[in-house]
Amino acid sequence: MNAKQKSKPLATLSLDLDNQWSYLKTHGDPGWESFPSYFDRLIPRVLDFLAERGLRITVFVVGQDAALEQHHAALRAIANAGHEVGNHSFRHEPWLHLYSAEELKTEIAAAESAIQRAVGARPSGFRGPGFSCSPAVLELLARRGYRYDASTFPSFLGPLARAYYFLTARLSSEQRTERKLLFGRFAEGFKPLRPHLLSLAGRNLLEIPVTTMPFVKTPIHISYVLYLSRFSPALARWYFRLALALCRSAKVTPSILLHPLDFLGCDDGVGLEFFPAMDLTAEHKLAVVSDCLREMTNHFEVLALGEFTRRFTGEADASDSAAGRAGHAGDADRPGVAGEQCEVASVGTL
Ligand SMILES: [Zn+2]
């Protein structure tokens, strides 16, 4: 690493590995119960794309996918390429915050063990499906030795995104009730953008929010940029550049989120037409994603979230951090797993 690279501010990059079935399920569409998958097409494309750019990121994996033997080779390829594998729940239900304490524990633990069996490493980071989160989720993560959570989405536009989703979905009234907080409340917009330590159950848990536009809190994750690119690719690129420039001036560490459908186009035959920007070709999408990631790497040192957490909390675990890898079996039994010497920047903000 040269001096110029060292002097860059930090950013993080992650991919929520939502599978075809989980989109159908959240949307209330039939057929998801047989767990249709696009991993064969998606994962080699994503791994090649990241390798060409020298990026090692966090991939949040859904436990149900990790539990299926047929996905093990693809998931292992992600870990073998040096990416961190995080926990994205077992059933990918964005109403996780409605679970009982027992159900929540079963959900998180089942995903953990399925992921560990599939990739050989226990996750140390979590992102709730559909940004669902609650104080109970955070406390459970801290108790289980997680180092970070990345579920908050500080945006005022959650209710608007939900209204759009309901408009396009065929949901029963029960399904609507379960999804009534999908993408969060308006008040989410008041949550902090900067990563901050939470003190829970006698331990520290780093909260790494999904970054939104500083000040106005509009979404800047890549799916949203792709949606803008339907109207004008130049506008979309300008919007993302502006977001990163504002992050630099406001000293916000951008945590940028990718989705599988950022890499799959209408020409890939995966359906899911209800998802915004699914009328674009893969070539169009990959060009926009490539521009966005180039803009990121030009101005920031881009890390997996686990590696960022280690640097934020001052852990000197260099041998383990080289690849930004997960894998901290046994942490759940150790008190104070992260940031023992570090000042608590912000406590109990969720
Ligand atoms: Zn997801």
Side-chain angles (χ1 to χ4, degrees), residues 13-40:
L13 186 61
S14 56
L15 167 73
D16 288 0
L17 195 62
D18 305 325
N19 207 344
Q20 198 165 3
W21 65 265
S22 62
Y23 284 117
L24 295 172
K25 180 179 181 181
T26 306
H27 202 242
D29 290 1
W32 69 266
E33 299 90 341
S34 58
F35 304 117
S37 171
Y38 44 50
F39 280 1
D40 286 353

Side-chain angles (χ1 to χ4, degrees), residues 234-248:
L235 168 72
R237 290 182 180 102
W238 173 84
Y239 179 80
F240 192 70
R241 272 204 302 276
L242 172 69
L244 293 185
L246 287 177
C247 285
R248 288 198 300 280

Side-chain angles (χ1 to χ4, degrees), residues 26-329:
T26 306
H27 202 242
D29 290 1
W32 69 266
E33 299 90 341
S34 58
F35 304 117
S37 171
Y38 44 50
F39 280 1
D40 286 353
R41 182 173 286 258
L42 172 80
I43 291 178
R45 188 179 295 178
V46 170
L47 291 181
D48 287 350
F49 190 90
L50 295 172
E52 282 163 16
R53 289 154 184 82
L55 289 166
R56 286 173 172 172
I57 72 168
T58 301
V59 178
F60 288 100
V61 170
V62 176
Q64 174 63 68
D65 285 315
L68 296 175
E69 186 79 31
Q70 72 211 53
H71 296 319
H72 283 191
L75 297 178
R76 237 177 265 129
I78 293 172
N80 290 343
H83 303 292
E84 175 192 10
V85 174
N87 183 342
H88 196 35
S89 81
F90 191 86
R91 288 174 287 177
H92 200 276
E93 295 184 340
W95 46 95
L96 192 75
H97 50 277
L98 301 178
Y99 288 1
S100 68
E102 200 48 46
E103 203 177 4
L104 195 57
K105 193 173 164 193
T106 305
E107 174 78 11
I108 307 253
E112 255 170 43
S113 43
I115 290 169
Q116 184 158 15
R117 267 197 310 277
V119 304
R122 180 174 175 268
S124 66
F126 178 81
R127 175 171 287 139
F131 310 117
S132 71
C133 195
S134 69
V137 172
L138 295 173
E139 177 148 346
L140 180 64
L141 294 177
R143 284 188 192 284
R144 299 188 72 79
Y146 279 70
R147 290 173 156 87
Y148 70 90
D149 170 74
S151 304
T152 49
F153 180 55
S155 171
F156 297 110
L157 296 187
L160 200 65
R162 185 165 58 249
Y164 173 83
Y165 211 81
F166 279 9
L167 211 62
T168 65
R170 292 179 295 273
L171 298 171
S172 66
S173 62
E174 188 193 347
Q175 287 173 318
R176 281 175 184 258
T177 304
E178 283 172 337
R179 292 157 179 78
K180 71 178 181 186
L181 286 180
L182 185 66
F183 308 129
R185 295 184 167 93
F186 179 80
E188 294 291 312
F190 296 109
K191 286 183 175 170
L193 279 184
R194 294 194 182 99
H196 48 279
L197 280 173
L198 305 171
S199 182
L200 296 158
R203 298 174 179 186
N204 287 332
L205 182 75
L206 184 65
E207 179 60 37
I208 307 175
V210 174
T211 307
T212 50
M213 183 77 83
F215 311 112
V216 294
K217 308 281 184 77
T218 49
I220 62 168
H221 53 276
I222 303 299
S223 299
Y224 189 77
V225 177
L226 281 164
Y227 178 72
L228 291 182
S229 80
R230 291 173 71 244
F231 308 101
S232 162
L235 168 72
R237 290 182 180 102
W238 173 84
Y239 179 80
F240 192 70
R241 272 204 302 276
L242 172 69
L244 293 185
L246 287 177
C247 285
R248 288 198 300 280
S249 59
K251 300 211 178 323
V252 168
T253 301
S255 185
I256 302 299
L257 164 61
L258 294 160
H259 285 105
L261 300 184
D262 301 342
F263 295 87
L264 296 171
C266 54
D267 44 342
D268 279 305
V270 297
L272 306 174
E273 291 84 2
F274 57 84
F275 196 86
M278 269 317 274
D279 52 346
L280 300 174
T281 61
E283 189 185 358
H284 175 113
K285 288 184 166 187
L286 292 175
V288 174
V289 178
S290 184
D291 283 348
C292 290
L293 298 193
R294 188 183 314 114
E295 188 66 18
M296 269 188 94
T297 51
N298 280 346
H299 296 285
F300 296 91
E301 185 185 351
V302 178
L303 304 175
L305 279 72
E307 172 62 14
F308 174 77
T309 301
R310 274 183 279 277
R311 296 203 198 177
F312 187 97
T313 56
E315 284 176 61
D317 194 3
S319 60
D320 185 51
S321 71
R325 296 278 296 270
H328 303 277

